[in-house]
Amino acid sequence: MSEARDGSRALAAATTLAVVIAGTVIAMVAPAQAGAVAAATAVKTTLHCGDTITADTKLHADLVNCPGDGIVIGADNITLDLNGHTIDGDGVRSECPDGPCDIGVSNLDGHDRVTVTGGKVRQFRAGAFVGGGAAHNRLRQLVIADTNDAGVILADTTDSTIESNVVRGNDEGIGIFDSSRNAVRGNAVSHNAGAAMDIGGSATANRVEHNRLAANGDGIVLQEVDGNLISHNLVTGTGFFGSAETGGFGIILDGANRNTVDRNTVTGGRGPAILVLTLDAPNAPEDNIISRNTVNSVESEGIYVGTTAIATVVERNTANRNGNDGIHVDGPSTKLTRNTANNNHNLGIEAVPGVIDGGGNHASHNGNPAQCTNVAC
């Protein structure tokens, strides 16, 4: 999709097991860079860049200009409370032959039931990285900014939560790869050059809900993933900021199967608001549900279903005032039911022969007097 997206995928792939904690930077440093192991007890109050913590820890001062990792998680069942302070990198992108490095908060060894909360992580290669099969991690109330690759990365992580974080000004926002049953909710993700959220690598059964995504290169990208829920998100202004390589897509399902995109508002973007198609993925998308969304694209379609898409359900969506068609369907096995598409520049609903007309579709005051093709409206 973009160089920025490729960079975050390369970072995730560089380790076999990685988990991302949103809002905090997590990194792995080479042995020569690692700081002393800090057993975070009541008497240990001063931390240094690269320290590894093995007990509940509260930060009492900023960590500034860290040349490698910020803080490394070294045990299960602990909380890192940034206490309003900042973990700050040096802004120089590090290249490490032995795996991911230059991470603000790193849980690459897969420690379970870790919470990171309450502060800012900035100017690392990645802000927070959780991996190694970690489970039940929680990243909350963090500000993750100005990273060279991704704000937050979860790789091979389960049953974890990224919530109430601010992720802004990164090359990519939040990445979830090869991870299942995680919740990403209530985050504000803005002004990232690539995708605000990139979900790939066979990620399954994740929930992305009630997030606010503004002025990113792309919005939410799902590639070759199954059974995820994308619901109640607000996606605005996609494609008018960020990398020229992005398509300005709001929500895209690229070779993704059995996902539900429900009750999202996707408005004011450059590219199509919601797409179901084969773009970079090798396989066709199947059995996806696009329902009850409100969509508007400044320059393109509100909803676009590509030729290769199989058995897509498009129902009860509102697609008004789009720069081209309100809803454009090239996949003949798509079912269209009770959608509204008014005041669009071209057609309200443009569908190919063979689509399944589920009834109840309505289109009026569109630029093309035909209003709809191959469905009644």
Side-chain angles (χ1 to χ4, degrees):
M1 297 282 296
S2 69
E3 292 181 3
R5 181 178 169 195
D6 289 342
S8 68
R9 286 193 180 281
L11 183 63
T15 182
T16 55
L17 298 177
V19 177
V20 176
I21 298 179
T24 298
V25 179
I26 297 177
M28 185 165 101
V29 271
Q33 297 173 304
V37 174
T41 65
V43 297
K44 174 68 176 180
T45 59
T46 302
L47 292 175
H48 302 90
C49 294
D51 279 352
T52 296
I53 62 171
T54 58
D56 289 349
T57 301
K58 180 178 288 188
L59 207 62
H60 291 282
D62 295 346
L63 300 182
V64 180
N65 291 328
C66 294
D69 291 343
I71 296 294
V72 177
I73 303 300
D76 296 349
N77 301 304
I78 64 173
T79 294
L80 172 60
D81 181 359
L82 301 188
N83 193 30
H85 291 290
T86 297
I87 302 175
D88 174 66
D90 60 7
V92 177
R93 180 189 173 103
S94 299
E95 300 291 343
C96 303
D98 298 327
C101 66
D102 192 15
I103 302 170
V105 177
S106 178
N107 185 10
L108 293 180
D109 288 338
H111 294 291
D112 298 337
R113 294 175 295 279
V114 173
T115 296
V116 183
T117 186
K120 187 173 183 178
V121 181
R122 66 185 185 191
Q123 294 189 327
F124 291 88
R125 184 171 179 180
F129 205 140
V130 181
H136 301 288
N137 276 240
R138 191 178 186 192
L139 302 170
R140 62 187 306 271
Q141 296 181 344
L142 301 164
V143 176
I144 300 179
D146 304 324
T147 65
N148 293 320
D149 277 343
V152 176
I153 300 173
L154 280 70
D156 189 24
T157 303
T158 58
D159 301 302
S160 295
T161 302
I162 300 171
E163 65 178 344
S164 303
N165 302 288
V166 174
V167 182
R168 67 186 181 212
N170 305 286
D171 205 26
E172 295 268 340
I174 297 171
I176 301 175
F177 307 105
D178 299 306
S179 299
S180 301
R181 301 186 306 277
N182 300 289
V184 182
R185 60 178 178 240
N187 301 283
V189 186
S190 68
H191 296 93
N192 298 284
M197 296 186 183
D198 196 350
I199 305 171
S202 301
T204 59
N206 299 287
R207 301 175 69 93
V208 178
E209 302 174 296
H210 298 283
N211 300 283
R212 302 178 307 283
L213 283 56
N216 300 281
D218 286 318
I220 303 173
V221 177
L222 294 89
Q223 186 177 60
E224 298 181 79
V225 298
D226 295 342
N228 299 281
L229 174 64
I230 312 297
S231 179
H232 290 94
N233 299 286
L234 175 63
V235 184
T236 59
T238 303
F240 291 109
F241 176 90
S243 172
E245 300 296 320
T246 63
F249 307 132
I251 301 173
I252 177 171
L253 282 66
D254 179 11
N257 304 322
R258 294 175 293 280
N259 301 282
T260 298
V261 178
D262 180 68
R263 292 180 172 87
N264 302 280
T265 299
V266 187
T267 62
R270 174 169 55 86
I274 298 177
L275 302 90
V276 184
L277 78 173
T278 302
L279 188 61
D280 294 332
N283 300 313
E286 297 187 38
D287 300 314
N288 295 289
I289 297 173
I290 312 299
S291 61
R292 300 176 189 265
N293 301 283
T294 298
V295 296
N296 163 265
S297 170
V298 173
E299 300 180 2
S300 190
E301 289 84 11
I303 296 173
Y304 177 82
V305 181
T307 305
T308 60
I310 300 170
T312 307
V313 173
V314 180
E315 62 182 4
R316 300 190 182 191
N317 300 282
T318 300
N320 295 339
R321 296 182 173 83
N322 289 276
N324 196 356
D325 299 325
I327 300 173
H328 186 112
V329 178
D330 287 335
S333 61
T334 304
K335 184 176 182 179
L336 291 157
T337 305
R338 298 181 66 179
N339 299 285
T340 300
N342 300 331
N343 299 107
N344 296 287
H345 185 73
N346 191 16
L347 286 158
I349 301 175
E350 182 173 358
V352 296
V355 298
I356 303 167
D357 187 347
N361 297 293
H362 176 80
S364 65
H365 299 94
N366 294 286
N368 190 320
Q371 303 301 325
C372 296
T373 61
N374 296 305
V375 293
C377 60

